[in-house]
Amino acid sequence: MHLRSVIPAAGWLALALLLIAGIASAHAADPAARVAAIAGEVSAIGRDGASRELRQDMEIHAGDTIRTGAGGRVRLVFSDGSARTLRPSTILVIEAYRHEGNAETDSSVSRLIRGGMRAVTGAIGAASPESERTETPVGTIGIRGTEYLARFCRGDCADGQVPGEEPPADGLYTHTLSGATVVTGVQVAAGLSSHTDMQGRTRLLTRMPSVLEDREAGIDWLGTGIPGTETVDTVFEIPAQHVGTRFLLCD
């Protein structure tokens, strides 16, 4: 007896919907990133509100909110080869992430709520720069094949104060290490910095502001590692076309 004579049309529709839902669920379960290096207290809160303490090699999914403690640092390597290294007292939300090797549908959207990070573009940004961006309370950071530093200050950047000078103004600070960024519509080329005030107005800076320095991390803040940890950048197969460039900053 043929199966169609046993299962009515409505049953076939229900079965098809179940299969589609199963496939979508499987894609949703794929990790966006893994913990490549970690130090101090770092946690993640999922879409369901459940919190978990992060450890080396743990998975990060779209919808997770990553929090680093006062002494916490973490380096996340995404499936497309991109990376985010979060400094202490940072909150970063992985709002959306999809990597299937399709430039038309792949996307990576993060939201920096507080603190700072160092970011390196991967395959998604290389194939379609407009598909990768970081939102902040005062504007958006877009990329053009990029490696950059970013920090959002709201009365919590006293560590970046230069002796004898006023405390750093609130807002978003960025420095482009390679490629270019676009901050609220203003292009920031390699070697330049920017400051976006609390009204969303961006101006270029000719040197990296002190709030982006990380004296505790030293050169590792500009490199790939975290002090006292072993960096593992092979938790995902990084696409061959993604080759990072490292820069040392000089006054």
Side-chain angles (χ1 to χ4, degrees), residues 195-214:
H195 173 246
T196 305
D197 64 21
M198 298 302 287
Q199 287 71 47
R201 297 171 298 204
T202 299
R203 63 186 178 94
L204 294 177
L205 308 174
T206 56
R207 60 184 297 169
M208 189 175 80
S210 58
V211 295
L212 290 176
E213 297 176 3
D214 195 336

Side-chain angles (χ1 to χ4, degrees), residues 47-157:
R47 290 190 192 276
D48 59 359
S51 179
R52 61 191 188 278
E53 189 174 352
L54 292 183
R55 293 284 185 266
Q56 183 79 28
D57 296 330
M58 287 184 68
E59 296 179 351
I60 303 298
H61 294 269
D64 282 350
T65 298
I66 315 301
R67 295 173 176 261
T68 60
R73 304 174 189 276
V74 65
R75 178 173 169 79
L76 308 176
V77 175
F78 289 74
S79 63
D80 74 328
S82 60
R84 303 286 186 274
T85 303
L86 309 188
R87 64 187 295 158
S89 303
T90 292
I91 301 176
L92 180 73
V93 182
I94 312 302
E95 291 203 336
Y97 185 84
R98 180 173 182 172
H99 177 225
E100 298 174 345
N102 186 335
E104 294 184 358
T105 58
D106 286 355
S107 66
S108 178
V109 182
S110 301
R111 181 174 295 275
L112 182 64
I113 295 177
R114 65 174 290 184
M117 68 177 184
R118 171 183 169 275
V120 182
T121 300
I124 293 175
S128 178
E130 63 275 9
S131 297
E132 181 174 331
R133 66 182 188 276
T134 299
E135 304 287 352
T136 77
V138 294
T140 301
I141 304 172
I143 58 93
R144 295 293 182 270
T146 308
E147 187 172 357
Y148 67 92
L149 305 176
R151 186 177 184 185
F152 177 68
C153 296
R154 184 178 280 167
D156 55 358
C157 290

